[in-house]
Amino acid sequence: MRTARLLPVALVVLLVMALLPFGVGGYVLGLLTLAYYYGVFAMAWDLLFGFAGEVNFGPSFLVGLGAYAAALLNHYYSWPIWACLVAGSAAAVVGGVVLAVPALRLHGPYFGLVTLVAVLLLQNVIVLFAGVTGGEIGLDIPDVLSISDRVNYWYALGFMVISGAVLFGLARSPVGLILQASGQDAVEASALGFNVAKHKLAAFCISAFFSGLAGAMLIFYLGTASVGTVVDIGVGVQVIIAAVLGGRRTILGGAIGAIFLIVAGEMLRDLGQLSTFVVSAIALVVILFFPGGLLGSLLRTEGRQ
Amino acid sequence: MVGLQILIDGFAISSLYALGAIGFTLIFGVSGVLNLSHGSIMVAAAITAWLAAGDYGAGSLGGALAGVAASVVLSFATYLLVVRPIQSSRAIPGEEKEIFVLTGTLLWGIMLQEAMAYFFTNSPKTVRPLIAGVVNIMGVRTPANEIVTAVLSWVAIGLLWLLVNRTRAGKALLAASINPRGLTLLGFELANIHLLVWAIYGVLAGIAGVLLGSFLGVSSDNVGTLTASAFSIVVLGGLGSVSGSLLAAYVVGYLETMTAYLVSPSIRTVPVLLLLVLVIYLRPQGLLGRR
Amino acid sequence: MKHAYLYSLFGAALGAALCLPATARAAEPIKIGVIAEAAALGGSAIPNAAKLAAEEINAAGGVNGRMIEIVEYDDHSSASDAVRAFQRAANQDKVHAVIASYISEVVLALEPWAGRLKLPLITPGAASDLITKRVHDDYNNLKYVFHGYLASTQISDAVCESGKDLLIGQMKAKTAVVVSEDAAWTIPLDEEYLKCLPKIGVKVLDHIRLSPDTTDFTPIFNKIEGIKPDVMVTGISHVGAQPTVQWQQQQVPIPMFGVSSQATTSTFWKDTNGAAEGVVFNMFSAPDVAVTPKTIPFARAYEKKYGVTPAYSGYTAYDDVYMFADAIKRGGSSEPDKLVDAMEKTDWVGTIGRIQFLGKDDQFTHGMKIGPGFITGLMVQWQSGKQVTVWPAEAASGQMKFPSFIKTVN
């Protein structure tokens, strides 16, 4: 019901977003382009957390795998962009499975720590093999998606909308409900005859696929792949904050949270250094007082009326 | 020669790790909270000590006390402003409190980190050592400050042991970490226990921060690494287990030091990370954890 | 009637105001974007010094009547934040030129964007040789990039040049270990150290690269001590003050000599509680040396305004604003291509020496010319809380001296 009521609103918002390039400057577009990719990271993370109940501290492990696989292939073997994107998402899925198969036996902080360690190890590998990966400098990418702000914007928007639709649909499907059930009470879910492990693994793969693809697209937008942009723990922290801020278990909240974080950071740019402080403070207030997040609170007030 | 060097250096570093991790694990034991603003609190203690000793002429000891005081204040602030509101919130379902506490303390930590970078820049600060100079231990030139670091860490750990085992409040604390619900049945006010554990945590993290600041120097950029290493040590030792954390701190400290001396300083943390993954898979309850 | 009179007066004033820009459309301000991390010492000196330069130029009437406006961006030393800031500077704030960062990684990420968005870019502090090499290899696209600091190779050469006198002459050093942090700027630096040190007669016993995340330097110093060199030749910047502090606390008996970026700032003494005593480091200008007639007045004005002496990147950022202003004045335009043309013809005496940019056939395209009469470099040592210039002899304000735990031959 609530979803149905929101549908027209969502369509209008989408239309405005699609037409935005005719109304605003290139800089705002660049900003939103970045926000949309982060939105996909956050939505993919929410599928794992909000629905499968697993706190993945290392979203940037999956993002980084996708990004670096694509970057290396483009840099050294000049693969065309589409092939790099395919390879990047495949690498993220493979990495995700390698991480998830043993890790899914673990719960809570243990699972969290393993995913955190995965990021740290990936970061170490990239820095240690600086000769190949470019190390701390990063790797420059010969091909970029486009140098036009508008085209880049539409790519990112389209990608976010498609990813959002797939993830959202999945979360609302029977599979999503099983995931949700197993996230809340794994014992009961398996007692009902569902293969919890298999569903969680599937969720991990899907999350990895979108994270990796988004990571790969992001570097073809930025023109460089570096630890600081796609692997660093700070990137993962941003993703988690975006998802929780936007509203966990809503999928779409992740996108809203990511856009909010980046736009707020920019509006507060005049504060200079302090902008990060203020954005964190706002996010903290939101999770303390509106734990449903931006979208969660919105949906609830809608529901009450 | 190198062997002795590793023994001495590893000991100092490990003692510091232990001190930092014990407070962290106590809080988890008593209230199930993983405090991700840990690194920020340690660095804040060090910067306060540096500031008080330098700009305000409080001297080494005065500075150190000021640093520990700052850490206690921040520890209470973390609990009262961030952790307790989340724990008592009705809007957050029980099984999700954990992620909210993690995100909340993380954000709080980032705020502290940014504030420190804003006022004091992110360049590393060194707290003036309590005792300057070097001591020769069987041919190994050891800074007196390194010995002070190890000794003070153990004094603090010893005092904690006395507190926990010899006082009523301490025993209640120990009991709370084993079974919080049973304790309330016995008529203890759990809220007071929580305040006590955060106070202990503040003192321990403060001492660890000040000592780290005088031993290696700290900057607001180290916050993430410090939190991650406390987190790793605590999980390695077994969440909530104090003796496990002690053991794990020495395993981590020595493994790092040995790697740095015998292999290469640039892969210092890698073996620890691998060990951590291995232990989590094979023995998720950690070295001395109970399940 | 009275009102009508007032209105006409107002109208005239308004008309005059509107006409003013029209007189040559030249009163439109010249906007210079400054991208750097405000929380870092090397970073905050960049906007500070740029603002100082802009104020001076504006107080003297601006450039052809146009005022200079500095637009600041904080990149938190992150490449993606810097790229975003650069895009904003180009597309939204419409700046005419950008002065960016002291970190090679960040500048290398910005470089292709300077080409794509055709926005002149200069870095006052990054040192990687790749910056100018890329301009050399892809001149048509990347000609918008200028290197306002020396390339790492040139810095090594400057250190070796001073070594003839200081290492060989005064310290009687015969052997060295090269210690550098693992970063973009030290790759060519180390390569050149390994070549130029033997040339001046110092044998390199080992070459150690340390991770920028290192916090405990004990094992490294221990290893170096085992090798028994006469001197450590350094290439450290991002690792900060910690190696210096631990060097002093552990009383490592080997002098530190070379590049130590944080040592160039005046707060370094306080941050290290005086552990900096005896550290010898390279700089291209120092607050106590009249490298050019502009150096000391700038350092004084900066200290008066901000309470500290400028970090190395402050001197160059100050010069960069003047050079852009000068180029716009000479070329008569702030259009990107004309500005680049005029910048290439720069011949400017700044705070670090006489600056000319090398041409597109040179190995360091758009890098600065070094050598006598242009930029030479100084060696400076921390002594009792002061930066004392110890080389070259004609600029020196003191002699090298080391704390008692250091064993030197003399």
Side-chain angles (χ1 to χ4, degrees):
Chain A
M1 265 304 283
R2 284 182 304 189
T3 324
R5 187 128 43 102
L6 281 178
L7 197 63
V9 181
L11 283 178
V12 172
V13 171
L14 274 186
L15 191 68
V16 171
M17 282 160 83
L19 295 177
L20 213 55
F22 300 107
V24 301
Y27 177 68
V28 177
L29 292 183
L31 208 62
L32 288 172
T33 306
L34 203 64
Y36 293 166
Y37 287 121
Y38 266 81
V40 177
F41 298 157
M43 291 191 292
W45 185 85
D46 193 33
L47 182 75
L48 210 54
F49 166 65
F51 290 89
E54 297 292 354
V55 185
N56 175 11
F57 271 130
S60 56
F61 172 70
L62 304 171
V63 172
L65 275 183
Y68 266 89
L72 290 169
L73 290 171
N74 190 257
H75 184 95
Y76 289 105
Y77 303 102
S78 311
W79 283 25
I81 291 183
W82 66 267
C84 293
L85 294 180
V86 171
S89 20
V93 171
V94 171
V97 170
V98 169
L99 178 68
V101 169
L104 282 174
R105 292 195 297 131
L106 309 168
H107 295 287
Y110 299 102
F111 179 82
L113 190 64
V114 168
T115 51
L116 185 71
V117 168
V119 179
L120 295 174
L121 282 174
L122 178 64
Q123 199 166 347
N124 267 301
V125 165
I126 291 172
V127 174
L128 283 178
F129 294 94
V132 180
T133 60
E136 304 264 348
I137 316 169
L139 208 59
D140 57 303
I141 318 286
D143 295 325
V144 285
L145 283 173
S146 162
I147 59 162
S148 151
D149 297 324
R150 288 182 182 182
V151 176
N152 270 322
Y153 175 87
W154 280 317
Y155 274 132
L157 178 64
F159 176 57
M160 181 182 73
V161 170
I162 293 170
S163 317
V166 172
L167 290 167
F168 187 75
L170 202 73
R172 291 294 156 110
S173 71
V175 180
L177 295 179
I178 297 170
L179 274 177
Q180 201 165 349
S182 51
Q184 280 165 4
D185 193 336
V187 181
E188 195 172 323
S190 50
L192 288 173
F194 298 120
N195 187 336
V196 172
K198 211 169 86 185
H199 278 98
K200 281 197 177 177
L201 186 63
F204 212 110
C205 288
I206 294 162
S207 182
F209 173 81
F210 281 104
S211 303
L213 183 55
M217 286 186 71
L218 176 64
I219 55 141
F220 281 114
Y221 163 62
L222 288 176
T224 65
S226 64
V227 172
T229 42
V230 286
V231 184
D232 197 77
I233 304 242
V235 176
V237 166
Q238 284 260 356
V239 170
I240 297 173
I241 292 175
V244 175
L245 187 66
R248 76 240 184 271
R249 271 198 206 148
T250 56
I251 299 288
L252 302 184
I256 295 175
I259 295 170
F260 174 84
L261 276 186
I262 288 189
V263 171
E266 196 51 35
M267 280 168 29
L268 294 169
R269 196 183 60 88
D270 290 338
L271 292 176
Q273 272 179 275
L274 279 179
S275 62
T276 317
F277 177 86
V278 176
V279 171
S280 311
I282 295 172
L284 183 59
V285 167
V286 169
I287 69 160
L288 285 181
F289 298 104
F290 310 98
L294 301 170
L295 191 61
S297 308
L298 191 75
L299 284 175
R300 214 173 43 197
T301 41
E302 281 280 312
R304 270 191 208 140
Q305 280 161 3
Chain B
M1 173 72 188
V2 172
L4 187 62
Q5 181 91 40
I6 293 175
L7 215 60
I8 294 172
D9 282 348
F11 191 80
I13 279 282
S14 305
S15 309
L16 261 184
Y17 283 167
L19 198 56
I22 285 178
F24 195 87
T25 205
L26 265 183
I27 292 185
F28 182 84
V30 172
S31 55
V33 168
L34 287 173
N35 172 24
L36 294 189
S37 60
H38 180 70
S40 292
I41 293 180
M42 278 177 72
V43 173
I47 289 187
T48 309
W50 169 79
L51 197 67
D55 285 15
Y56 296 101
S60 298
L61 194 63
L65 291 176
V68 175
S71 165
V72 174
V73 170
L74 285 177
S75 164
F76 279 133
T78 310
Y79 177 57
L80 297 175
L81 298 178
V82 182
V83 176
R84 204 163 72 175
I86 292 175
Q87 286 176 333
S88 56
S89 165
R90 286 203 201 108
I92 307 170
E95 74 271 11
E96 289 188 357
K97 294 238 153 103
E98 195 175 294
I99 180 77
F100 272 86
V101 169
L102 288 174
T103 320
T105 52
L106 187 67
L107 286 166
W108 171 244
I110 295 173
M111 286 166 63
L112 293 179
Q113 178 184 5
E114 287 295 324
M116 289 187 288
Y118 181 75
F119 289 111
F120 307 109
T121 78
N122 62 2
S123 71
K125 308 282 182 285
T126 322
V127 179
R128 204 178 289 274
L130 289 171
I131 302 175
V134 291
V135 176
N136 199 318
I137 303 178
M138 289 186 285
V140 176
R141 205 182 52 246
T142 315
N145 188 41
E146 194 171 331
I147 301 168
V148 172
T149 302
V151 170
L152 283 184
S153 300
W154 272 99
V155 168
I157 294 168
L159 287 177
L160 178 72
W161 186 86
L162 283 179
L163 181 81
V164 169
N165 289 292
R166 294 293 154 87
T167 65
R168 192 178 138 78
K171 284 179 184 160
L173 187 106
L174 198 63
S177 73
I178 295 165
N179 185 353
R181 207 169 289 162
L183 201 67
T184 26
L185 294 177
L186 290 172
F188 277 94
E189 196 61 64
L190 211 51
N192 290 338
I193 301 276
H194 281 166
L195 281 176
L196 176 67
V197 77
W198 281 90
I200 294 174
Y201 166 78
V203 173
L204 291 176
I207 297 175
V210 173
L211 289 177
L212 185 70
S214 77
F215 181 38
L216 299 179
V218 289
S219 97
S220 63
D221 285 350
N222 299 141
V223 160
T225 331
L226 289 173
T227 307
S229 83
F231 191 7
S232 315
I233 288 170
V234 163
V235 170
L236 190 61
L239 272 169
S241 158
V242 173
S243 43
S245 296
L246 270 180
L247 178 67
Y250 280 84
V251 170
V252 168
Y254 273 110
L255 195 54
E256 280 190 11
T257 312
M258 268 157 60
T259 312
Y261 274 100
L262 303 177
V263 189
S264 156
S266 53
I267 60 158
R268 187 179 176 109
T269 55
V270 174
V272 175
L273 295 176
L274 294 175
L275 174 74
L276 193 60
V277 172
L278 206 67
V279 169
I280 292 177
Y281 283 149
L282 298 180
R283 198 179 151 78
Q285 69 270 40
L287 297 177
L288 296 184
R290 46 172 196 271
R291 268 282 246 233
Chain C
M1 281 309 280
K2 222 172 178 183
H3 281 287
Y5 171 73
L6 269 180
Y7 278 150
S8 61
L9 198 70
F10 181 68
L14 195 72
L18 284 174
C19 281
L20 255 176
T23 46
R25 265 199 79 64
E28 171 207 359
I30 297 168
K31 286 183 161 185
I32 298 180
V34 176
I35 302 174
E37 179 181 21
L41 290 173
S44 63
I46 298 173
N48 285 348
K51 280 187 282 188
L52 188 63
E55 277 166 25
E56 291 173 8
I57 295 170
N58 292 344
V63 180
N64 300 337
R66 296 169 69 179
M67 294 293 130
I68 294 196
E69 190 186 325
I70 301 288
V71 189
E72 283 180 70
Y73 308 86
D74 191 340
D75 65 359
H76 303 101
S77 290
S78 126
S80 65
D81 282 13
V83 167
R84 253 162 73 191
F86 193 81
Q87 291 172 335
R88 180 183 174 121
N91 295 330
Q92 186 95 352
D93 300 336
K94 313 265 181 227
V95 306
H96 300 99
V98 169
I99 298 173
S101 191
Y102 64 107
I103 295 178
S104 298
E105 284 78 350
V106 170
V107 176
L108 289 168
L110 289 180
E111 205 168 10
W113 286 102
R116 286 177 196 139
L117 300 172
K118 302 202 189 314
L119 178 58
L121 164 73
I122 192 165
T123 172
S128 171
D129 286 38
L130 266 181
I131 298 170
T132 46
K133 183 175 180 301
R134 284 194 190 164
V135 182
H136 176 82
D137 293 350
D138 188 8
Y139 177 81
N140 287 335
N141 283 321
L142 297 180
K143 64 174 183 177
Y144 303 95
V145 179
F146 287 83
H147 198 175
Y149 194 64
L150 286 100
S152 301
T153 310
Q154 298 171 315
I155 298 174
S156 310
D157 286 340
V159 171
C160 284
E161 186 61 32
S162 77
K164 287 179 190 165
D165 182 17
L166 298 179
L167 293 178
I168 302 287
Q170 297 186 29
M171 286 157 67
K172 317 271 184 245
K174 292 186 184 61
T175 55
V177 167
V178 172
V179 191
S180 294
E181 66 190 18
D182 211 343
W185 71 279
T186 57
I187 296 169
L189 183 89
D190 287 9
E191 248 172 52
E192 187 63 18
Y193 270 155
L194 298 186
K195 272 188 227 151
C196 73
L197 284 170
K199 268 188 210 153
I200 64 164
V202 175
K203 192 175 167 208
V204 179
L205 300 179
D206 202 355
H207 172 207
I208 294 174
R209 287 177 73 78
L210 38 97
S211 146
D213 307 328
T214 311
T215 49
D216 181 3
F217 294 86
T218 319
I220 296 158
F221 287 139
N222 193 260
K223 184 174 171 200
I224 295 172
E225 232 188 302
I227 303 169
K228 300 192 192 316
D230 296 328
V231 63
M232 281 187 265
V233 178
T234 55
I236 50 179
S237 169
H238 310 319
V239 290
Q242 280 149 316
T244 309
V245 169
Q246 293 172 30
W247 167 76
Q248 188 260 359
Q249 274 200 10
Q250 292 158 24
Q251 307 206 339
V252 181
I254 305 158
M256 287 213 274
F257 184 97
V259 181
S260 172
S261 304
Q262 296 216 358
T264 65
T265 63
S266 62
T267 51
F268 190 66
W269 183 265
K270 202 175 117 194
D271 288 347
T272 59
N273 287 318
E277 178 77 30
V279 173
V280 188
F281 57 95
N282 162 277
M283 245 177 134
F284 290 94
S285 40
D288 67 333
V289 180
V291 176
T292 73
K294 289 176 186 164
T295 318
I296 293 180
F298 161 68
R300 293 258 164 81
Y302 187 99
E303 193 171 5
K304 194 171 158 213
K305 189 161 181 208
Y306 301 109
V308 292
T309 55
Y312 74 105
S313 51
Y315 295 93
T316 39
Y318 177 83
D319 290 346
D320 291 347
V321 174
Y322 270 102
M323 283 191 288
F324 274 134
D326 173 63
I328 291 170
K329 197 175 202 167
R330 280 185 288 110
S333 165
S334 50
E335 295 297 316
D337 289 272
K338 287 185 185 148
L339 180 51
V340 168
D341 282 347
M343 278 295 275
E344 289 183 335
K345 299 187 187 81
T346 292
D347 185 357
W348 180 258
V349 176
T351 59
I352 61 166
R354 181 174 164 205
I355 301 170
Q356 285 185 10
F357 290 106
L358 297 163
K360 68 175 169 184
D361 299 321
D362 195 280
Q363 174 194 359
F364 301 111
T365 306
H366 286 185
M368 298 190 291
K369 202 179 264 184
I370 61 163
F374 292 95
I375 295 166
T376 44
L378 309 167
M379 291 308 275
V380 182
Q381 186 180 39
W382 275 105
Q383 293 179 4
S384 315
K386 290 208 165 52
Q387 294 173 335
V388 176
T389 303
V390 294
W391 186 88
E394 61 272 21
S397 53
Q399 282 283 318
M400 273 201 303
K401 55 181 179 197
F402 291 96
S404 54
F405 64 85
I406 297 280
K407 290 178 200 137
T408 50
V409 183
N410 59 344

